[in-house]
Amino acid sequence: MVQKIVLGAACVCCAAFAAFGVAPLEIAVRGQPAAYAIVISEKASPVEKYAAEELQSFLEQVTGVKLPVASDAAPLPAKAILLGETRYSLALLGCGFDPKTLGSDGFRLAACPPHLVAYGSAKRGALYAAYEILETYAGCRWYASWHSVIPKKSGVCVPANLDDVQTPAFAMRQPYWYDINGHRDLAARLRVNGFNCTRGDVDEKYGGDTFRFGGGLGSCHTFNRLLPPSIYFDKHPEYFSLVKGKRRKDRTQLCLTNPDVLRIVTSNVLARIRKDPGAKFYGVSQNDWYNYCECEKCAAIDAEEESHAGTMVRFVNAIAEAVEKEFPDAVIETLAYQYTRKPPKKTRLRRNVVPCLCSIECDFTRPIPESPYAEDKAFMKDICGWKTQTDQLYLWDYVTEFQDFTLPFPNVYALKGNLQFFHDNNVKEMFAEGAQLGRHAEFAELKGWLLAKLMWNPELDVKPLIDDFFAGYYGKAAPFIREYFEEMHRRQAEWSANPNNPLRIWTSAAFRSLNDEFVEWAKPLWKKAVDAVKDDPALSYNARMSEFSFDFLRLERMNPKPMRKVVLFASSPENDARIAEVKALTQSLLDRMTEAKDISLSESRARHDALVAGWKAYVSPSTNAAVNAIESQLAVLEERYLSLSRPGQWGAFVDDPKAADGKALKLFNTHFEWCTSFPMGKVAFKPGAKYKLRARVRVEKTRDGGEAFWAGVYDSVAKKGAGGITPRTDAIKDAEYAWYDICTWTPRADGREYFWIGPGRFGADGKSSIKAIHIDKIELSLVPRTLRTEKE
Ligand SMILES: [Zn+2]
C-alpha cells in the first residue's frame, strides 16, 4: 500500500516550518545566489539526468534561481539536493533503510540537514522524487499539456524534519486519455508509466517501456492476428467457432479445443516473441465480439468449468507452457472480457499468464461495491475469483462515454472507490480507458489528472484534489463550473440509486438523469463561468472547451437524437426562434472544434463524421440537400439518407454515372422486400399541411408485363399505407432515370410514418421482371406548391 509519512508540516511557507522550531531547508531563495546544488550520480541514468533538468528548470521558473547540477564524482557540496542513486544518498539516509522496498517507482524524500535526499531508483523513482518536490513544496501543477500552473515564489523550502516515503498503489498506471497519451512529459509529471505502447519507443528518460505489449500483437483481441480466417478458414473451417451449428468466418473466434489451432497459434506466438523479445506482455485474446465456439468439445469444457473462460484459460495455459521454456520472463496476457469474464471453476492460471479483467458491463455512477446494479455485483464475484488465481491482475476499466465522448458522463465520484476496490483485489496493472481519440471529452482533463493522482494513491481525498484542479484550471470560472459539476453528479447519483438506471459506457446522462430543467438551471452558470475568465485567454479556453459538453447536451435535448429533424419545413415564430438557437449553438460547437483542432466526438469514426456532417449541414442548409427546406419549402434527400436492410444482399450504395450526383442506392432483384426506408419523424412538417413525396428512380428491366418496383408511405400506427405506387415495367423506359410521384398526404403530427421502396414483386413464374432499380434521391414538397420539373 501507499506509504506517505510526512513528518513535519506539509506547508510551502518557510515561516510556517520555522515556527516548529527547526529551521527549514531553503533550497532556493529569490534574489540570492544558488546555495544548493542538484547532485546526481556520475553514472546517472537518462531518467536521473532528466529528473535533474526538470527540477532545475522548474525551480528556476518558480524562484528565478538556477541551481547547478553536479556529479557525485566531486566532493559533496555544502548544500545538496541528492537526486536518485548518488554515492552519498544511502549513507545520509542511515541504516535500516532498504532501497529495494521502493521498487522501480517509489522514492524517499528526506531532509538530512543541510542536505535534501531525494532518493529514488534510477528507473523512475528519481524522477518522481523531483516532481514531489516541485508539486508539494514549490506548488507546481501540470493539469494538461497546454495548461500548467508554475507559481512565482519568494523561495522554496522543505521542513527540516521531512521524511516522506511513497510507493505507488499500482505497478502500472495508465489513465488512457488523449492528452496524457500524446504527451510523455505530461505523463511523466503525473507519474503515469504505462503507455499501452506496442512500438517500444518510450524514451529512456521517462523510464522506457516497462509494460510493453510485444510481437506486433497489440494489447487485446489478437485471435484474428494469430490465426487469420482470411488465410485459414476456407481450407480449415474447423479451426473457427461453431455457432448455431455453423463454422463462422466473419466475426469469429477460435475453436480452442482443436489441437491444430493450439499448434499453429503457439508457433505463431513463439515466432513473434523471437522477432521481438524483451516486451513484458504478449497478447493471446478473444476478438472483440461474442461467437465463442459451441462445438461438442468446447462446450463440454465450458460446462465443466461453468464459464467460457474454461476453454480460454486451458488454451492460453498451454501456449504459456510452451513459451516458458524459451522465454521464462515473457507474460502471456489474455482477456477476461464479456463471455470469459467469469473465472473457470477448476483450471488455474499458469504463473506466466495474466488475465486482463474488463469492467465493461458495470454501472459507473458510484464505486462498483456500492452500486445496486446487478452487473456490478456479478463483477465483484468475478474479480474475487480471479484474484485468488494470480498476484498480477491487469484491470481494464472504462471512464468515459464511448458513443459520445463529449456528452456528460458523471462518473468522477466513482473513480477513487473503484481504484481502492481494484487495489484491494490484487490488481497490479491499472488501465483506465478514457477518450483516447481527441481532447476535451467531457471533463477529460480533470478525469485524466485525477486518475493519475489516484492510481498513485487511491487513499487521497478526492475533494481537495478536485478543488485544486478547478482552481488551477478554471481560475475565476471555477465556482460556477463546480456548481454545475456537483449538481450533475448529484442528479446522476439520485437517478442511479435505482438498480435499473445504471450509468453504462454507452448511455449518456443526456436523456436520463439530466433533463430540460437541469439545462435551464445550468445555462446561466456557464454564462457566468465563461464571462468570469473572458479576459484571460488560457482560462477562457479551458472554460469554453469544458462548456462544449454542456452545449452538446443542450443541442441533443433541443433536437433529440442528433439532427433527427434533417428536413425542416415548419415555420412559426416559435419554431424559427428554436431553429435560430439550434443553428447558433451548432455553429459555436463547430467553431470550438476548429479552434481546438482535435476534438473527437465518438469512439466510432462513422458517428463522429455523421455528427459533424449533420452539424455542418444544419448551419449551412444551402450546401446540403437534406436540410434545404427551411426557406424553400422543398427538400431533396439524397439516397445516403435512406436506410438499407441487409446491405450487400438486398442492395448496395453504388456509384452511378447516370445519377445526378453520381451516386445511387441500388436494389437487387434477389428479393422484393421493403428494404429501404426513411422515417418521417426526421422531417419537421408544418402541422396540418399537405405534402408530396416523389422519387427519382431508374429501372433496369428484363421484361415487360411485371412489377418494376413498389413504393409508398406507411403509417405505423394505423398500420396502413398513406399512399403508394406500383409501376409496371411496360410503362418504363429501360435504364433511364425518371421522377415518380409516390404519395401526397397530410403527415401525422407524431412522425410515426415512413417512406419505403422495394424491387418489384416476382411474376407468376417466381421470377423478377427487373435486373435492378437505382434510387438517386427523394423529394418532399409542400402542396400546393407547383413543382418545378428537374431538367434531366
Ligand atoms: Zn470448438
Side-chain angles (χ1 to χ4, degrees):
M1 195 54 232
V2 174
Q3 307 168 47
K4 187 168 166 67
I5 310 152
V6 182
L7 308 171
C11 174
V12 294
C13 171
C14 301
F17 294 146
F20 283 83
V22 194
L25 310 189
E26 298 186 316
I27 59 179
V29 179
R30 182 174 290 278
Q32 291 186 16
Y36 276 77
I38 300 167
V39 175
I40 55 174
S41 165
E42 184 188 13
K43 297 174 204 138
S45 69
V47 167
E48 290 173 299
K49 286 180 190 160
Y50 182 57
E53 281 170 31
E54 288 278 273
L55 186 60
Q56 180 188 50
S57 159
F58 284 111
L59 282 177
E60 188 182 8
Q61 290 175 51
V62 172
T63 64
V65 182
K66 186 173 184 179
L67 304 190
V69 176
S71 155
D72 68 351
L76 184 60
K79 291 181 174 183
I81 300 173
L82 296 147
L83 186 56
E85 295 174 345
T86 76
R87 67 189 176 103
Y88 302 114
S89 305
L90 290 177
L92 282 165
L93 289 171
C95 55
F97 169 61
D98 179 3
K100 284 199 200 79
T101 57
L102 298 177
S104 57
D105 290 14
F107 58 82
R108 180 172 175 189
L109 208 56
C112 303
H115 308 296
L116 173 62
V117 180
Y119 188 90
S121 86
K123 184 69 180 165
R124 275 181 294 265
L127 190 55
Y128 299 155
Y131 292 134
E132 179 67 21
I133 297 171
L134 291 168
E135 281 201 87
T136 302
Y137 303 102
C140 296
R141 293 290 183 275
W142 302 279
Y143 296 115
S145 62
W146 63 90
H147 194 92
S148 306
V149 172
I150 309 301
K152 300 277 179 238
K153 286 173 171 282
S154 58
V156 170
C157 44
V158 300
N161 55 356
L162 170 69
D163 194 354
D164 180 9
V165 178
Q166 294 188 33
T167 55
F170 298 98
M172 185 191 90
R173 302 170 300 281
Q174 186 170 13
Y176 195 57
W177 291 85
Y178 179 81
D179 192 38
I180 294 175
N181 285 351
H183 298 90
R184 301 262 157 90
D185 50 353
L186 174 67
R189 288 164 191 160
L190 299 180
R191 305 180 197 176
V192 166
N193 65 354
F195 294 96
N196 195 29
C197 191
T198 51
R199 301 189 303 270
D201 63 352
V202 179
D203 198 302
E204 281 305 318
K205 73 180 184 182
Y206 303 117
D209 232 342
T210 309
F211 303 95
R212 187 166 71 86
F213 282 82
L217 285 165
S219 66
C220 51
H221 311 310
T222 66
F223 273 1
N224 272 6
R225 261 161 274 163
L226 289 165
L227 195 84
S230 56
I231 297 175
Y232 290 95
F233 186 87
D234 292 344
K235 275 197 175 157
H236 294 286
E238 74 279 11
Y239 289 179
F240 299 90
S241 294
L242 184 79
V243 181
K244 290 183 186 149
K246 243 185 109 182
R247 295 286 172 181
R248 277 189 78 110
K249 184 173 183 181
D250 296 331
R251 295 176 77 85
T252 189
Q253 309 284 358
L254 299 177
C255 176
L256 297 172
T257 53
N258 183 310
D260 289 336
V261 169
L262 178 61
R263 180 180 51 77
I264 297 167
V265 172
T266 303
S267 116
N268 282 348
V269 169
L270 276 168
R272 282 171 181 265
I273 304 178
R274 284 181 200 125
K275 264 195 205 160
D276 179 23
K280 164 111 184 178
F281 300 112
Y282 298 89
V284 179
S285 54
Q286 70 209 58
N287 296 317
D288 197 4
W289 42 74
Y290 277 71
N291 295 332
Y292 46 82
C293 185
E294 297 168 354
C295 81
E296 211 172 299
K297 276 175 92 178
C298 289
I301 291 173
D302 288 347
E304 187 188 337
E305 298 274 15
E306 295 177 13
S307 167
H308 299 294
T311 40
M312 187 68 71
V313 170
R314 291 189 192 189
F315 180 78
V316 172
N317 273 353
I319 294 168
E321 189 178 354
V323 166
E324 195 174 52
K325 290 174 192 143
E326 202 175 327
F327 301 99
D329 295 330
V331 174
I332 303 298
E333 178 263 4
T334 193
L335 293 175
Y337 175 59
Q338 296 181 333
Y339 66 86
T340 56
R341 203 191 70 189
K342 184 181 172 194
K345 194 178 174 194
K346 293 184 171 171
T347 306
R348 309 279 92 182
L349 294 162
R350 266 192 99 73
R351 59 138 209 103
N352 58 335
V353 174
V354 163
C356 172
L357 177 62
C358 306
S359 64
I360 194 163
E361 296 88 357
C362 290
D363 161 38
F364 294 105
T365 305
R366 36 176 67 79
I368 290 168
E370 294 168 29
S371 171
Y373 185 49
E375 277 293 348
D376 291 53
K377 296 185 191 305
F379 182 87
M380 287 178 70
K381 246 178 116 176
D382 293 347
I383 199 172
C384 286
W386 288 110
K387 81 169 173 189
T388 61
Q389 292 217 25
T390 176
D391 58 3
Q392 44 177 343
L393 193 54
Y394 193 119
L395 203 294
W396 189 309
D397 196 23
Y398 301 82
V399 288
T400 194
E401 209 266 87
F402 286 82
Q403 179 166 281
D404 294 298
F405 285 150
T406 61
L407 275 184
F409 190 69
N411 66 333
V412 169
Y413 288 116
L415 301 178
K416 170 184 162 129
N418 277 343
L419 289 171
Q420 284 176 311
F421 171 67
F422 299 146
H423 182 261
D424 292 347
N425 283 282
N426 292 353
V427 170
K428 294 293 185 294
E429 279 102 20
M430 190 60 230
F431 179 89
E433 187 179 8
Q436 75 279 24
L437 299 176
R439 70 183 74 214
H440 310 317
E442 193 243 10
F443 286 114
E445 291 72 35
L446 167 69
K447 289 177 188 178
W449 184 83
L450 202 55
L451 279 161
K453 297 279 168 202
L454 293 168
M455 282 183 188
W456 181 266
N457 180 3
E459 301 305 321
L460 292 174
D461 276 346
V462 166
K463 191 179 167 297
L465 286 173
I466 298 178
D467 290 347
D468 184 318
F469 184 92
F470 268 76
Y473 189 76
Y474 296 119
K476 285 183 184 158
F480 309 111
I481 301 175
R482 186 64 177 273
E483 203 179 336
Y484 165 86
F485 173 89
E486 297 295 345
E487 175 63 10
M488 175 174 72
H489 280 83
R490 190 195 65 73
R491 282 173 180 256
Q492 183 62 39
E494 199 176 274
W495 174 262
S496 289
N498 179 337
N500 298 318
N501 293 340
L503 180 69
R504 298 199 53 198
I505 64 165
W506 296 289
T507 56
S508 164
F511 290 97
R512 296 173 177 84
S513 56
L514 306 182
N515 56 17
D516 289 337
E517 182 209 359
F518 172 76
V519 169
E520 287 309 311
W521 171 84
K523 262 193 212 171
L525 281 179
W526 279 105
K527 188 173 179 335
K528 283 182 202 163
V530 170
D531 284 351
V533 289
K534 64 177 189 299
D535 298 326
D536 183 319
L539 296 175
S540 166
Y541 177 89
N542 292 346
R544 288 182 298 105
M545 292 304 163
S546 296
E547 190 195 21
F548 188 97
S549 169
F550 174 66
D551 285 347
F552 186 17
L553 167 71
R554 270 175 71 194
L555 186 63
E556 284 283 88
R557 292 205 62 89
M558 290 180 80
N559 208 355
K561 297 224 171 113
M563 300 301 112
R564 202 172 119 196
K565 307 284 184 198
V566 295
V567 184
L568 297 167
F569 285 102
S571 183
S572 66
E574 201 181 76
N575 251 332
D576 292 348
R578 183 186 150 101
I579 288 168
E581 189 181 349
V582 169
K583 274 187 164 185
L585 200 52
T586 309
Q587 185 62 56
S588 132
L589 289 170
L590 287 168
D591 289 348
R592 274 174 282 178
M593 289 187 76
T594 307
E595 183 182 353
K597 292 189 182 70
D598 41 10
I599 290 179
S600 173
L601 298 174
S602 175
E603 194 191 28
S604 152
R605 185 72 213 181
R607 182 171 172 79
H608 171 95
D609 290 346
L611 275 166
V612 172
W615 291 357
K616 284 186 175 163
Y618 225 74
V619 294
S620 50
S622 60
T623 64
N624 190 299
V627 289
N628 68 357
I630 296 170
E631 285 87 17
S632 73
Q633 311 295 300
L634 174 118
V636 181
L637 276 121
E638 287 298 342
E639 78 293 330
R640 64 178 177 277
Y641 291 95
L642 304 176
S643 69
L644 173 63
S645 305
R646 303 201 190 172
Q649 189 185 342
W650 284 355
F653 292 91
V654 297
D655 290 333
D656 179 8
K658 290 189 172 178
D661 63 346
K663 294 195 182 302
L665 171 55
K666 180 177 183 178
L667 303 184
F668 307 150
N669 67 356
T670 49
H671 69 100
F672 48 84
E673 304 289 340
W674 300 4
C675 62
T676 300
S677 65
F678 180 81
M680 290 304 151
K682 289 199 175 193
V683 186
F685 292 111
K686 253 185 198 181
K690 194 174 252 191
Y691 286 84
K692 177 171 179 168
L693 188 152
R694 61 178 197 151
R696 190 167 184 264
V697 180
R698 182 164 82 82
V699 180
E700 290 177 87
K701 59 186 183 182
T702 51
R703 63 184 178 191
D704 285 341
E707 262 182 38
F709 63 88
W710 50 337
V713 171
Y714 188 78
D715 180 330
S716 317
V717 179
K719 301 214 180 305
K720 62 173 193 183
I725 58 166
T726 312
R728 301 189 65 80
T729 49
D730 321 50
I732 281 174
K733 192 172 170 201
D734 185 39
E736 293 302 328
Y737 273 107
W739 281 103
Y740 296 86
D741 290 350
I742 288 171
C743 183
T744 299
W745 86 118
T746 304
R748 293 179 61 94
D750 62 8
R752 294 175 68 185
E753 287 167 313
Y754 60 90
F755 160 74
W756 61 272
I757 182 167
R761 281 169 289 190
F762 298 169
D765 58 356
K767 286 186 179 150
S768 177
S769 301
I770 58 160
K771 251 199 296 197
I773 67 170
H774 289 75
I775 304 148
D776 182 13
K777 57 180 88 175
I778 64 173
E779 184 191 85
L780 281 157
S781 59
L782 196 62
V783 178
R785 185 192 146 85
T786 309
L787 295 175
R788 62 193 159 79
T789 314
E790 189 161 317
K791 291 251 156 53
E792 297 299 326

